[in-house]
Amino acid sequence: MSGGGGAGVLGAGSSYQSFVRTALELTRLRTALTPHPSQEKFRLIRANDDATVLDALSFSGPKIRLLRSLTVEKKNSVQVLDFAAFSEPEYDLPIFCANAFTTPAQSIVVLDLNPLYNITKNKDYKDKYYRNLMPLIEKYRELLPWGGKITSESLIFFSPIVIWTIFEPTEQNHHVLYSALTDYYKVWLQLMDQATQENDTTKVVRNREAQHRYLTWRAEKDPGFPLLKKLIGESHAKDLVTEFLFEGVHSLGSKSFLDYFPEYARDDGTVNKKRSMVGKSFETRPWDATGKFIGGKDAGCDL
């Protein structure tokens, strides 16, 4: 990306809050939002130090089980965005996922419509949601280039249109990121508008378990947990992860992380906490322009 613009956290003093406001405005143009029960519990969350501000918002809507946002801002130090949208189980929509971590030195971003189902094995699902979206990644693949080596474990819930990038946090670069965040979220809202309710109980149950599997993975593997632990303490951080960021992990299903991912079991029955423990790594985008996975059969994870 270009290095133009003034350096600093989010360029010239901008904030991830601007995207959150835009996303909520765009959503309210299409559907009614009501506060999610989790918002009441976490909206007043405070960091241990006065210099850091946390802001937690969560909503639900007719087709939206959970729309939630967490931002962390510490002036001239760090800014974090964790924004996600989950459909009701009556719909098999991908999960909108926007994660950004910015310091004065760099911004690390993952932006995607995470697939609910395995798109390598489920071609119908891939064609339904991603075949017509490939121009979206073509628009940004040079502006927001692949961020370098990433393990196949990290790809487990990525789609062919994922943006995984690292760049200098200049104002110009963050204008590009804001554009990508908005474009991707508009696409998710369009998919939501077009979605028709599933009346087959078996398929609804399958959707619910697929979303629970995703939540279980994300709650166990959340890379932001160490920062949250530092800011609000371990107990509050665990509650924030399981009852806000990935709310539903305790209510959508009863299976454990090891039920879904037994390859992470240690001999004593506990979860192997070592990150990126399986599979090869990818230094370049492992999908071609049509969305076909070209990373090889030895990727080492359930893509």
Side-chain angles (χ1 to χ4, degrees), residues 32-49:
L33 290 178
T34 57
H36 189 274
S38 61
Q39 179 168 300
E40 182 64 26
K41 179 173 182 178
F42 293 100
R43 68 186 178 89
L44 298 178
I45 192 168
R46 294 290 181 268
N48 295 328
D49 67 275

Side-chain angles (χ1 to χ4, degrees), residues 57-105:
L57 297 171
S58 60
F59 302 90
S60 58
K63 295 182 180 180
I64 302 172
R65 187 186 70 80
L66 176 65
L67 173 67
R68 55 77 173 161
S69 168
L70 176 70
T71 58
V72 180
E73 298 188 5
K74 185 173 184 179
K75 189 175 182 181
N76 298 322
S77 177
V78 63
Q79 294 203 34
V80 177
L81 170 70
D82 191 334
F83 189 100
F86 304 86
S87 67
E88 292 283 7
E90 285 77 16
Y91 307 90
D92 64 357
L93 286 173
I95 297 158
F96 179 84
C97 168
N99 293 100
F101 180 83
T102 295
T103 68

Side-chain angles (χ1 to χ4, degrees), residues 26-282:
L26 290 170
T27 310
R28 289 189 172 108
L29 290 174
R30 296 171 179 265
T31 190
L33 290 178
T34 57
H36 189 274
S38 61
Q39 179 168 300
E40 182 64 26
K41 179 173 182 178
F42 293 100
R43 68 186 178 89
L44 298 178
I45 192 168
R46 294 290 181 268
N48 295 328
D49 67 275
D50 294 335
T52 304
V53 178
L54 286 81
D55 189 63
L57 297 171
S58 60
F59 302 90
S60 58
K63 295 182 180 180
I64 302 172
R65 187 186 70 80
L66 176 65
L67 173 67
R68 55 77 173 161
S69 168
L70 176 70
T71 58
V72 180
E73 298 188 5
K74 185 173 184 179
K75 189 175 182 181
N76 298 322
S77 177
V78 63
Q79 294 203 34
V80 177
L81 170 70
D82 191 334
F83 189 100
F86 304 86
S87 67
E88 292 283 7
E90 285 77 16
Y91 307 90
D92 64 357
L93 286 173
I95 297 158
F96 179 84
C97 168
N99 293 100
F101 180 83
T102 295
T103 68
Q106 66 179 10
S107 290
I108 304 171
V109 177
V110 174
L111 172 62
D112 196 17
L113 303 187
N114 293 154
L116 197 62
Y117 292 106
N118 182 313
I119 54 176
T120 299
K121 298 178 180 178
N122 194 327
K123 186 177 184 298
D124 288 344
Y125 186 85
K126 178 182 176 182
D127 289 346
K128 178 180 180 181
Y129 286 117
Y130 298 103
R131 182 173 59 183
N132 296 327
L133 298 185
M134 295 312 297
L136 195 59
I137 188 59
E138 290 304 307
K139 176 180 179 179
Y140 289 106
R141 66 184 303 163
E142 292 186 7
L143 294 169
L144 296 167
W146 190 254
K149 185 178 292 187
I150 191 170
T151 64
S152 54
E153 178 191 71
S154 300
L155 295 181
I156 188 168
F157 287 107
F158 284 0
S159 83
I161 65 168
V162 65
I163 291 174
W164 141 246
T165 191
I166 301 174
F167 56 81
E168 181 185 358
T170 63
E171 185 173 11
Q172 181 176 341
N173 289 346
H174 274 276
H175 280 317
V176 175
L177 176 60
Y178 182 86
S179 175
L181 288 166
T182 305
D183 282 352
Y184 272 58
Y185 190 61
K186 285 179 177 178
V187 165
W188 189 86
L189 289 174
Q190 291 168 0
L191 293 176
M192 180 196 71
D193 275 351
Q194 297 164 3
T196 56
Q197 182 171 327
E198 179 58 67
N199 294 315
D200 185 328
T201 303
T202 301
K203 292 182 179 179
V204 173
V205 169
R206 185 168 173 257
N207 290 343
R208 182 180 292 110
E209 179 166 299
Q211 192 173 135
H212 185 252
R213 178 176 180 266
Y214 174 92
L215 293 167
T216 302
W217 172 270
R218 292 294 308 276
E220 177 66 34
K221 293 285 183 177
D222 182 29
F225 181 76
L227 175 62
L228 293 175
K229 180 180 175 181
K230 179 181 179 181
L231 291 175
I232 60 177
E234 184 171 9
S235 178
H236 289 310
K238 287 181 178 179
D239 288 346
L240 188 65
V241 167
T242 60
E243 298 177 28
F244 181 83
L245 294 178
F246 306 111
E247 190 278 330
V249 72
H250 293 321
S251 60
L252 289 186
S254 58
K255 288 186 178 180
S256 70
F257 180 84
L258 292 180
D259 288 333
Y260 289 123
F261 309 101
E263 64 271 25
Y264 285 85
R266 298 168 63 96
D267 290 341
D268 61 1
T270 60
V271 176
N272 189 330
K273 298 291 185 179
K274 184 179 179 182
R275 291 182 55 79
S276 305
M277 60 170 284
V278 294
K280 64 187 288 186
S281 60
F282 302 93

